[in-house]
Amino acid sequence: MDLEWNQAVSAARMIRKPVMLNGEIIQIGAIKTDEKFNLLDRIKINVRPKYYKIMNPHVEKLTGITQLQLTSGETFPQAFKRFKEWCGDEFRFITWGFDDLGIFADNLVLHGFDPSFGSDYINLQLIYNRQTKAEHLQCALATAAESLGIPLDVQCHDAFNDAYLTYELCRKLDMTLGIAEYAEYVAALPTPLMKDAVPNVDDTKKMVFNRRVVGIPCPKCGGKLSLNQWIFSSGKSCKTIARCETDGNMLIKLKAARITDNNYTVTRTVYAATEDDVKTFEEKLKKREERKKHAAKKSEGNNDNNGNV
């Protein structure tokens, strides 16, 4: 199952009650299979939003969904009723990542439905990461598909197409083993000591210099954290190892979500850092320094050659 959602066009228009609505669902896509992953049925529903009625330009660019298409879908209550009937009484969602079911639950609350619908789901990323020993724990669906030789001959960020790619990934992985061990994968995930969000951040590249974002006290004792260098895994997410003199090392992750142009909300998550966390972080810092030195030497060599011409 996969979802696409629209976002508010400005922070002032963001819905905050009864939930902080980071996304309003505009498309539902799903593939139905049996327990052996034989394809049984498929569904795609376009949803007309109640609150975020103006198409966010960033979402339009990403999904290809236009303002005209946005106004021609079913209401969420209509869409959910049809989707629920299509799912049947015994089912389990498989999604790519944790985001979809969080957004789904928020939209259910928004419209007065039970937010626990489908909450016993499987995040296929965890199975993919374990079985492929993926370096990046949150790689994109398209990247995962390419790594397993699945052709990308459809537009990504379409709910049905992404659901189908997720289904194709299931066919490539050992899902019998993955589902049997899934509870173990989830139990191994670290529990955050702190998680919150900082709204109205205007530049993700400079967010690590923004005191509102990085001014994080130790979640255990409230003392000062000494921050290390930041390592970006993308233009919108980064992490560092911080040190508390009382409570030791902390792993801090920042992830920015775009609301409008030059307006982001940054999620801050702090964990107690394990020895592996520290070791991995130091190895990445070392590799980054080696790349910098290599680039500097290459630049010096080019300058010398230019001088000799």
Side-chain angles (χ1 to χ4, degrees):
M1 190 268 279
D2 189 83
L3 304 171
E4 300 298 333
W5 53 83
N6 197 21
Q7 295 177 309
V9 294
S10 70
R13 297 188 181 186
M14 193 169 182
I15 299 299
R16 290 172 168 80
K17 292 181 180 180
V19 292
M20 180 69 77
L21 190 63
N22 292 308
E24 186 171 12
I25 293 171
I26 55 176
Q27 205 173 70
I28 301 171
I31 301 293
K32 185 184 290 185
T33 79
D34 60 18
E35 292 180 356
K36 295 182 179 179
F37 289 89
N38 296 308
L39 195 153
L40 301 178
D41 201 0
R42 59 189 76 192
I43 192 170
K44 179 177 180 179
I45 305 174
N46 291 320
V47 184
R48 183 170 74 251
K50 181 177 179 180
Y51 298 97
Y52 299 161
K53 298 179 181 180
I54 300 174
M55 195 67 198
N56 185 302
H58 174 71
V59 178
E60 181 174 359
K61 182 178 180 181
L62 193 68
T63 64
I65 299 171
T66 65
Q67 182 66 45
L68 180 62
Q69 290 172 310
L70 196 69
T71 59
S72 60
E74 302 175 29
T75 66
F76 183 83
Q78 291 170 335
F80 176 61
K81 180 181 179 182
R82 185 153 70 94
F83 183 55
K84 185 178 180 181
E85 290 176 353
W86 180 84
C87 289
D89 295 329
E90 295 186 2
F91 70 95
R92 195 173 187 187
F93 289 138
I94 298 177
T95 65
W96 185 256
F98 289 112
D99 292 344
D100 288 69
L101 265 293
I103 291 290
F104 198 27
D106 287 345
N107 279 252
L108 289 170
V109 171
L110 192 68
H111 292 277
F113 296 110
D114 181 2
S116 67
F117 178 80
S119 57
D120 180 26
Y121 69 102
I122 291 171
N123 174 3
L124 190 64
Q125 273 188 345
L126 301 185
I127 297 175
Y128 170 84
N129 292 342
R130 180 66 66 94
Q131 295 186 6
T132 65
K133 296 180 172 59
E135 180 179 351
H136 299 292
L137 297 182
Q138 292 184 317
C139 75
L141 175 62
T143 302
E146 285 183 318
S147 75
L148 296 183
I150 299 171
L152 295 175
D153 52 3
V154 293
Q155 177 189 338
C156 292
H157 298 293
D158 170 276
F160 175 78
N161 292 344
D162 285 357
Y164 195 82
L165 282 179
T166 304
Y167 161 70
E168 290 285 2
L169 279 168
C170 288
R171 296 178 64 199
K172 293 283 187 177
L173 297 168
D174 185 344
M175 292 301 293
T176 300
L177 177 64
I179 292 173
E181 296 181 342
Y182 186 72
E184 176 189 329
Y185 303 162
V186 173
L189 294 174
T191 302
L193 298 174
M194 185 207 86
K195 187 171 185 178
D196 66 5
V198 179
N200 302 322
V201 177
D202 60 4
D203 191 337
T204 58
K205 293 180 181 178
K206 296 180 180 179
M207 65 182 174
V208 296
F209 304 108
N210 187 325
R211 291 184 180 180
R212 286 199 305 120
V213 175
V214 299
I216 304 172
C218 173
K220 287 187 175 181
C221 69
K224 183 179 179 181
L225 290 177
S226 299
L227 300 178
N228 209 318
Q229 299 179 59
W230 292 90
I231 296 177
F232 278 81
S233 56
S234 71
K236 297 178 183 177
S237 60
C238 60
K239 65 182 178 182
T240 190
I241 296 291
R243 178 77 183 172
C244 172
E245 291 301 323
T246 304
D247 296 299
N249 292 320
M250 303 285 168
L251 173 63
I252 302 177
K253 295 183 178 182
L254 305 179
K255 185 175 181 181
R258 184 182 179 280
I259 304 301
T260 61
D261 287 337
N262 302 319
N263 188 344
Y264 297 83
T265 293
V266 179
T267 301
R268 312 184 300 179
T269 313
V270 183
Y271 305 89
T274 65
E275 291 182 5
D276 285 343
D277 290 332
V278 175
K279 182 180 178 181
T280 300
F281 179 78
E282 290 175 346
E283 288 175 350
K284 288 187 176 182
L285 276 184
K286 184 179 179 180
K287 288 181 181 179
R288 187 169 72 178
E289 290 304 314
E290 289 173 351
R291 287 195 298 268
K292 285 182 179 179
K293 289 179 181 179
H294 178 74
K297 287 182 180 180
K298 186 176 181 180
S299 178
E300 288 175 5
N302 290 337
N303 289 337
D304 289 343
N305 291 335
N306 290 336
N308 293 329
V309 172

